[in-house]
Amino acid sequence: MTEKTIPLLPCHEIQPVVDFYTALGFETTYLQKAPYAYAVVRRGPVELQFFAMKGYEPSQSYSGCYVLTDDVDGLHSAFRAGLKAAYGRIPSRGLPRIGPLKDMSYGVRQFLMTDPGGNSIRVGQPISDDPSMRPVPKEPFARALHLADLFADSKEDLAGAARLIDRVLPPEHGHAPPPGGPAPTPVQHVRLLVLRADLAARLGDAPLAAELAARAAALPLGGQDRAAAADSLSRLAELTEPAP
């Protein structure tokens, strides 16, 4: 016997949701307008179904699903390219939006995206046989990065993630620590600055995002450190590229 689970997700209007998934490379296999709006989209083995609700507020949505893949980097790249072609930019805040790709502390490499209906779609690839949450580090900078990643790209509490980083970065967001005080490693320093810049951009504070990104770009990294900070450097390149 074979079973299959298909998420049924709410939205305010069907067409913007269909357009969004079309940009991601999904095929619309069913579209109904009456007696109520309903749509089915499919991309390979992934199928999602949507229904419209009167009075539904996408910004207040708690709906979502998790998609597991064996090529999360490829999907992230393809989805970003499709969104840029459809919207003229890669939306990182508001609705719809797509987040950065990163390794999470529970053994999954993932990214989050939210469709026009407010549904959070998590796309991940296991990178460990142990799916349990890793212990929270005691070292202050590693602890801040661990928790801020969870707040930003699992809980989706951007303001909470920003506060966690602000507690360990100097007030000037990236200047050298006071004499004798603890200092992050070069990789930690870049990751903290880039994540805080990313959060500022996603929260709509473009000047702060630009300032932090510039400071991160100015930090010297050796070859091994650059490899360890690859995801952060990729996000940094996006934050510093000229607007279209």
Side-chain angles (χ1 to χ4, degrees):
M1 184 169 61
T2 301
E3 290 80 25
K4 180 179 180 180
T5 299
I6 301 174
L8 274 65
L9 302 171
C11 61
H12 178 64
E13 292 182 86
I14 283 290
Q15 195 58 52
V17 171
V18 168
D19 293 342
F20 174 79
Y21 286 96
T22 298
L24 299 181
F26 282 74
E27 175 190 3
T28 303
T29 61
Y30 183 78
L31 182 59
Q32 171 182 292
K33 296 184 178 180
Y36 55 88
Y38 199 95
V40 179
V41 299
R42 180 181 293 130
R43 190 183 196 275
V46 179
E47 180 176 316
L48 304 173
Q49 301 191 11
F50 299 90
F51 59 95
M53 293 178 60
K54 291 183 178 180
Y56 182 78
E57 178 47 62
S59 65
Q60 303 300 314
S61 174
Y62 292 96
S63 302
C65 69
Y66 206 112
V67 176
L68 288 176
T69 177
D70 59 3
D71 185 17
V72 70
D73 288 74
L75 280 184
H76 188 248
S77 178
F79 286 176
R80 283 169 51 85
L83 291 174
K84 187 170 185 178
Y87 294 93
R89 61 184 180 86
I90 300 171
S92 61
R93 56 188 294 258
L95 295 176
R97 62 181 180 269
I98 186 169
L101 181 63
K102 60 178 62 178
D103 296 344
M104 304 304 295
S105 58
Y106 38 86
V108 174
R109 183 167 174 77
Q110 75 171 26
F111 64 93
L112 309 184
M113 59 183 184
T114 305
D115 66 27
N119 301 296
S120 177
I121 311 297
R122 299 166 184 254
V123 184
Q125 178 177 355
I127 54 176
S128 170
D129 293 332
D130 180 7
S132 59
M133 184 73 71
R134 306 297 184 264
V136 179
K138 294 183 178 180
E139 193 276 324
F141 302 107
R143 179 184 180 87
L145 285 166
H146 176 101
L147 293 175
D149 271 338
L150 290 175
F151 272 57
D153 293 299
S154 189
K155 188 182 178 184
E156 295 192 274
D157 180 355
L158 304 184
R163 287 193 295 271
L164 286 164
I165 296 176
D166 288 342
R167 289 172 189 164
V168 298
L169 279 177
E172 294 80 8
H173 294 291
H175 290 167
T185 68
V187 171
Q188 287 175 331
H189 204 171
V190 167
R191 289 188 61 203
L192 286 165
L193 286 168
V194 172
L195 179 53
R196 187 62 181 88
D198 174 67
L199 292 167
R202 291 155 72 180
L203 288 166
D205 191 342
L208 178 58
E211 174 194 342
L212 294 167
R215 289 177 175 168
L219 292 176
L221 287 179
Q224 290 186 336
D225 286 345
R226 293 190 70 84
D231 282 348
S232 292
L233 293 176
S234 176
R235 180 60 181 141
L236 178 60
E238 296 167 3
L239 289 167
T240 55
E241 69 181 8

